[in-house]
Amino acid sequence: MSTYGAGPLPSRREFLRQSAGLLSAAALVRAVEIGSRAAESNTLRIALIGCGGRGSGAVAQALSTAGPTELWAVADFFPERARALVEQLRPRFGDRIRVTPERVFGGLRGYRGAMDSLEPGNVVILATPPAFRPIHFEYAVQRGLHVFLEKSFAVDAPGIRRVLRAGEEAARKGLKVATGLMSRHYLPLEEAMARVHEGALGELVTLYAYRMHGPVGLGPRPANMSELAWQIANYSGFTWLNGSFFVDWLIHNIDVCCWAKRSWPVSVQGMGGRQVRREPDQLYDHYMAEYTFADGTRMVVQGRHMSRCWDFFGVVLHGTSGCAVLGEGQPNPMLFRGHQPTADRVLWRYRGEPCDPYQREMDLFFEAIRQDRPYNEVERSAKSNLTAIMGRMACESGQRITWEEAMASTRELAPGLDQLRDEDDPPVKADPQGRYPIAMPGSTEVL
């Protein structure tokens, strides 16, 4: 029996249970200043920007790292959600929850208040919808804060360029930056990937990334909720906010494939659309993109969220002498002899201690801060993000997109986002029939 594609898709909870440059003189002075301020008090204060499911998990993991920490401020577009999270955390973390009512911030500008309440050398966790990540990251670096960036990091190429510039400035200032591609810190996958890179599968020929599962929900709009607020609350359904299902939901396994290949693709072509989805949003319900690397080998990425269809969540690698099943969604990575991933052909499986990749990525980040070691994951993470964005471009336009074209693109999904106010209309609005614009291959322009 094949070890992938059979059985129900593991939930995140099940997954966790099973997996239990030289600085300029001025920049060097700045780095010493930041390190000194952090050392004056061994306690690291944390501000959380974005109090949804991932933000709440990330801040709990930050508070669970070695050494004293305290949650100092929170911000969310919906301040009631921020207040609720604070109260949810108190029973577990007690007096380390130091948030007072005046340090709970709401609205689109709330991130500034939360970050401004911290001294340089402290920590901010950015976990809002991805469209806002470049804006928030730039401000965090300006404020001299160490930053945890949840994926995704931008929704379009101009945003990626902003993130890369901010990452370079963070390095100059001696700031530590971690990114939410936690699979890179999952010990079983690290060990599997080391064997792949040592040649256990021979030369990699084809890589497959999958995320196939049930539909993504869309909540109803309450009568007293603005259009902008409703879209933010349902950001997965709006491309300007999350960059698409392809970008925000497939980025982990796209990153795993690029890690396996130790490079990024040079071009991509693909297809996608809405076949069964009826919810009034912008979301495609299926994608497939074929990437080409410089050596001519291919990576195929498939995403689908439909009911009563074949489900699989993971990565399959094929080399000249073997294959592997691993990646996000596969808590027990395995390597196989030949190209049939069956139990009698297992070449390697993990035998070490259980690992929670979400906790380990935060442990490594805080350890780097406390020991003042260089730690900056921005460049590789932004490049994996761009890989996903160029795939979305190809699927939505029907065109072949090169890496250079994608990186140079000036097209923004939400122009003027920096100036958007709480009372404004969203960048994307429905027509009189309640229909939102949906990308159409052959006519949608992406460059």
Side-chain angles (χ1 to χ4, degrees):
M1 178 183 291
S2 170
T3 64
Y4 71 96
L9 177 72
S11 68
R12 179 178 181 276
R13 181 176 297 174
E14 289 167 340
F15 174 82
L16 291 176
R17 186 171 65 247
Q18 293 178 58
S19 37
L22 295 176
L23 297 171
S24 67
L28 182 57
V29 170
R30 176 65 174 156
V32 170
E33 289 175 351
I34 290 170
S36 298
R37 276 195 290 269
E40 289 171 4
S41 168
N42 198 28
T43 299
L44 288 170
R45 287 178 171 171
I46 301 165
L48 172 64
I49 317 298
C51 299
R54 186 62 201 109
S56 63
V59 75
Q61 286 137 13
L63 291 167
S64 301
T65 59
T69 52
E70 58 189 24
L71 180 60
W72 188 251
V74 291
D76 193 277
F77 184 83
F78 304 98
E80 64 276 12
R81 182 160 65 179
R83 285 189 287 267
L85 176 59
V86 170
E87 296 311 311
Q88 176 186 326
L89 293 169
R90 286 193 196 279
R92 179 175 175 187
F93 296 104
D95 58 7
R96 285 192 287 150
I97 306 303
R98 296 285 306 282
V99 181
T100 57
E102 63 270 19
R103 291 199 296 272
V104 176
F105 301 90
L108 291 173
R109 295 292 180 271
Y111 73 96
R112 288 177 172 261
M115 292 193 219
D116 288 347
S117 74
L118 294 178
E119 291 293 324
N122 283 296
V123 180
V124 63
I125 297 171
L126 303 181
T128 63
F132 303 107
R133 198 78 74 246
I135 299 170
H136 297 173
F137 184 31
E138 286 175 345
Y139 194 71
V141 173
Q142 178 185 326
R143 290 282 302 131
L145 301 173
H146 304 295
V147 189
F148 180 85
L149 293 167
E150 184 49 66
K151 65 84 189 169
S152 299
F153 317 110
V155 299
D156 50 33
I160 289 293
R161 293 195 295 271
R162 292 179 70 170
V163 167
L164 286 168
R165 288 192 297 268
E168 292 168 357
E169 181 65 14
R172 285 191 289 269
K173 288 186 170 186
L175 299 170
K176 321 309 175 192
V177 187
T179 62
L181 296 178
M182 76 291 169
S183 294
R184 294 270 186 157
H185 303 302
Y186 184 43
L187 284 172
L189 184 55
E190 285 185 37
E191 193 170 322
M193 201 64 76
R195 283 163 171 73
V196 170
H197 291 157
E198 289 166 1
L201 307 181
E203 292 294 320
L204 291 181
V205 176
T206 312
L207 307 91
Y208 300 89
Y210 301 88
R211 183 153 186 161
M212 321 282 272
H213 53 62
V216 176
L218 184 73
R221 178 181 169 186
N224 62 345
M225 180 178 280
S226 72
E227 173 77 5
L228 176 60
W230 178 70
Q231 290 192 18
I232 290 174
N234 291 274
Y235 75 93
S236 288
F238 294 92
T239 307
W240 74 271
L241 279 163
N242 82 327
S244 75
F245 177 88
F246 191 89
V247 172
D248 200 37
W249 294 54
L250 274 151
I251 185 173
H252 286 296
N253 281 335
I254 288 172
D255 178 61
V256 169
C257 285
C258 292
W259 180 16
K261 193 64 180 171
R262 291 188 282 197
S263 65
W264 285 270
V266 297
S267 66
V268 59
Q269 65 84 25
M271 61 183 72
R274 287 169 65 104
Q275 185 171 356
V276 301
R277 189 170 181 80
R278 296 294 178 264
E279 284 77 3
D281 58 13
Q282 297 185 286
L283 203 56
Y284 276 16
D285 56 22
H286 63 282
Y287 289 92
M288 189 174 83
E290 178 195 54
Y291 293 83
T292 301
F293 290 94
D295 62 2
T297 56
R298 307 296 174 94
M299 170 174 73
V300 178
V301 180
Q302 293 188 57
R304 181 181 62 208
H305 55 107
M306 298 179 181
S307 299
R308 299 182 299 278
C309 294
W310 176 73
D311 290 345
F312 180 63
F313 186 14
V315 166
V316 179
L317 307 176
H318 283 275
T320 51
S321 62
C323 66
V325 180
L326 39 73
E328 191 194 17
Q330 296 298 309
N332 301 305
M334 285 186 277
L335 277 59
F336 301 86
R337 293 181 292 273
H339 297 101
Q340 294 291 343
T342 53
D344 60 324
R345 293 172 176 261
V346 173
L347 178 64
W348 172 90
R349 71 173 74 228
Y350 181 68
R351 301 292 187 184
E353 293 297 315
C355 174
D356 176 347
Y358 295 92
Q359 186 61 54
R360 186 164 185 263
E361 70 175 349
M362 202 66 78
D363 289 342
L364 294 171
F365 173 48
F366 274 77
E367 182 181 87
I369 295 171
R370 294 186 182 281
Q371 298 183 8
D372 196 23
R373 293 201 316 264
Y375 199 93
N376 190 313
E377 298 184 314
V378 172
E379 183 178 3
R380 68 159 172 82
S381 299
K383 287 182 176 179
S384 288
N385 200 157
L386 182 69
T387 302
I389 288 170
M390 65 190 277
R392 193 270 320 286
M393 288 177 162
C395 293
E396 291 184 347
S397 67
Q399 304 301 313
R400 178 178 175 270
I401 307 292
T402 68
W403 179 273
E404 290 76 14
E405 289 172 334
M407 182 63 87
S409 172
T410 59
R411 189 173 294 275
E412 296 179 80
L413 297 185
L417 190 59
D418 297 67
Q419 287 76 47
L420 190 67
R421 300 171 302 176
D422 296 354
E423 62 272 20
D424 288 343
D425 290 330
V428 173
K429 292 179 284 189
D431 64 18
Q433 288 72 46
R435 297 172 301 200
Y436 291 90
I438 298 170
M440 298 298 291
S443 59
T444 292
E445 295 183 5
V446 297
L447 294 174

